[in-house]
Each structure stands twice: as structure tokens, then as C-alpha cells.
Amino acid sequence: MKYEHLYVKRADKNATFVYDIRPEHAVTLITGNSGTGKTLFFRLYKALHPNDVLLIDSSFYDVRESIPALIQKSKANWVFIDSFDLLCTQALDTFIAKDGGVNHLYLLAGRSVYQCTNGFLGLAGLQRGYNKEKNEYLITLDYMRKF
């Protein structure tokens, strides 16, 4: 599958936020502390491209064992899993390892994602730059290490 360029621009009264996300892997883990913009990006992109993204978040916690079946039924190109560190199960980790790049592309976000890596993906953080003249924040992927 082709790794698409994911772009979102959102302006509000205080500043403009531009997410320019260019995944290099079929499965990419985005890690970072609270407030770094992981969830905001997922929600903004899903709102702009509702048919292209399956968004799974912590509200799926009680049914996390059924997430692989949900993904398998989805026709979306992208699967975004927020709070992956909370939702990850052995079955989900194995499913993503087999499916990544075949039927879906994955962006997985969490604070501590190292326990569910299965050795098959890129690990990145969100890097934020600021253009004072435009009052604009540019958020990109910063690959810290490749598996």
C-alpha cells in the first residue's frame, strides 16, 4: 500500500496548527506525553476524511478483544488507534503485524507503547515548530528509531 501524506490545517483565534504527517512505515507508533497533539490530530483527520479512517480509542477498552475483527471488516485505508498502550492485546499486536501494509496502514498512539511493538514498525514522536511571523505551529513526525 502507498504511504499517504496526511495533512491537516486548523486555525483558531489564537494560532494555526498544521499537521504534516508523512509515515515511512505501514505501522507507525507515535509516542509522547499528554498534550502533545496525538489525539487532536487523529480527531481532526477523521473529521476531514470520515470514510478513509477507522478511529479506535479508549472507549473500546471493554471490547478490546474484538478490535482485530472490527479492523478486518473495515474498508478504511487507515486505522488510527489512540491509547494503544491501554488497548493492546497479544491478538491485536499479532493481527497488526500481519495486516500492516497489506489491507490497512496504521498510526498507533500512546504514552508507553514499547510493550506492544512486535518488532515491525517505526517509532516516532510529534515534533512541533513555530513560525512567529505566521503565528503557525507545524507538527511533523520525528522518527527516533526504526525497528
Side-chain angles (χ1 to χ4, degrees):
M1 294 183 85
K2 180 183 173 214
Y3 305 159
E4 301 171 25
H5 173 198
L6 306 174
Y7 183 85
V8 174
K9 186 172 186 175
R10 176 181 176 248
D12 64 24
K13 64 182 179 181
N14 297 318
T16 299
F17 296 87
V18 177
Y19 284 86
D20 189 2
I21 306 298
R22 298 170 188 259
E24 297 175 4
H25 305 275
V27 180
T28 300
L29 277 167
I30 303 173
T31 186
N33 293 328
S34 294
T36 56
K38 301 177 301 290
T39 300
L40 178 61
F41 168 72
F42 282 1
R43 290 182 179 163
L44 289 173
Y45 195 85
K46 172 68 176 173
L48 293 172
H49 307 278
N51 297 324
D52 198 38
V53 175
L54 172 62
L55 176 58
I56 297 169
D57 61 21
S58 59
S59 67
F60 287 78
Y61 184 79
D62 290 337
V63 294
R64 65 187 178 278
E65 296 298 332
S66 63
I67 291 174
L70 178 68
I71 295 170
Q72 197 167 25
K73 292 177 188 174
S74 175
K75 297 197 183 315
N77 289 327
W78 284 96
V79 177
F80 293 172
I81 303 179
D82 199 7
S83 301
F84 184 67
D85 46 341
L86 300 177
L87 298 174
C88 184
T89 62
Q90 182 70 38
L92 178 58
D93 199 34
T94 301
F95 178 82
I96 292 171
K98 292 177 182 175
D99 183 58
V102 177
N103 297 307
H104 302 93
L105 299 170
Y106 292 84
L107 284 180
L108 314 171
R111 292 186 203 152
S112 175
V113 292
Y114 302 103
Q115 74 274 16
C116 287
T117 59
N118 220 351
F120 58 88
L121 45 83
L123 179 62
L126 290 179
Q127 180 176 1
R128 186 182 307 185
Y130 180 66
N131 181 330
K132 191 172 184 175
E133 293 173 8
K134 293 182 178 181
N135 192 28
E136 181 176 275
Y137 290 93
L138 176 64
I139 299 101
T140 58
L141 286 181
D142 177 24
Y143 281 93
M144 297 177 270
R145 136 181 133 188
K146 295 182 182 176
F147 294 84

